[in-house]
Amino acid sequence: MTATLIWILVVLVAVGLYLSWTAGRLDRLHARIDAARAALDAQLLRRASVAQELATSGVLDPAASMVLYEATHAARQAEEELREVAESELSQALRAVFADPPQVDALREAPGGEETAHEL
């Protein structure tokens, strides 16, 4: 009877240690996910800010400026659940603007344009 009680205690301690170890791993994973999400949100906001500066700079034609401004505004105002969609729409707007070689040339020739183009 005593041997059975000892084995039950050993199993309970082993299960408790395993659950504690697993909980620690899950906690560290959660912290890394939160840090990655915060970094991605910061990058989205930084990218949207640079794109918004470009849209309001007057370097681009009015239609491209409006498309880019609307995408940047949506990206900056997007709720957490919709950030992925906003990032995708901002990328599409940037691809549309940078698909026109004369606009890219005009951007690169503007003061600070080369750095802005590289950053975007």
Side-chain angles (χ1 to χ4, degrees):
M1 181 75 168
T2 304
T4 305
L5 187 59
I6 291 174
W7 280 110
I8 290 174
L9 283 172
V10 167
V11 168
L12 287 176
V13 168
V15 168
L17 288 173
Y18 174 74
L19 291 176
S20 174
W21 175 74
T22 302
R25 288 187 67 207
L26 287 175
D27 187 48
R28 287 190 302 275
L29 177 62
H30 185 262
R32 285 196 315 252
I33 288 171
D34 284 346
R37 181 176 288 132
L40 288 173
D41 284 345
Q43 284 289 76
L44 170 61
L45 292 176
R46 190 179 122 262
R47 186 176 182 209
S49 296
V50 172
Q52 192 170 30
E53 287 177 19
L54 174 62
T56 58
S57 69
V59 174
L60 303 175
D61 67 68
S65 292
M66 192 61 150
V67 168
L68 193 56
Y69 184 81
E70 287 177 4
T72 59
H73 181 71
R76 295 182 84 183
Q77 301 298 320
E79 295 181 18
E80 190 172 332
E81 301 85 34
L82 301 175
R83 292 270 170 115
E84 183 179 344
V85 173
E87 172 69 25
S88 178
E89 289 174 356
L90 178 58
S91 294
Q92 289 174 354
L94 286 169
R95 273 194 294 276
V97 168
F98 284 108
D100 187 19
Q103 285 192 26
V104 175
D105 293 339
L107 172 63
R108 290 182 191 270
E109 291 170 2
E114 190 67 40
E115 293 82 20
T116 301
H118 179 68
E119 191 171 357
L120 289 172

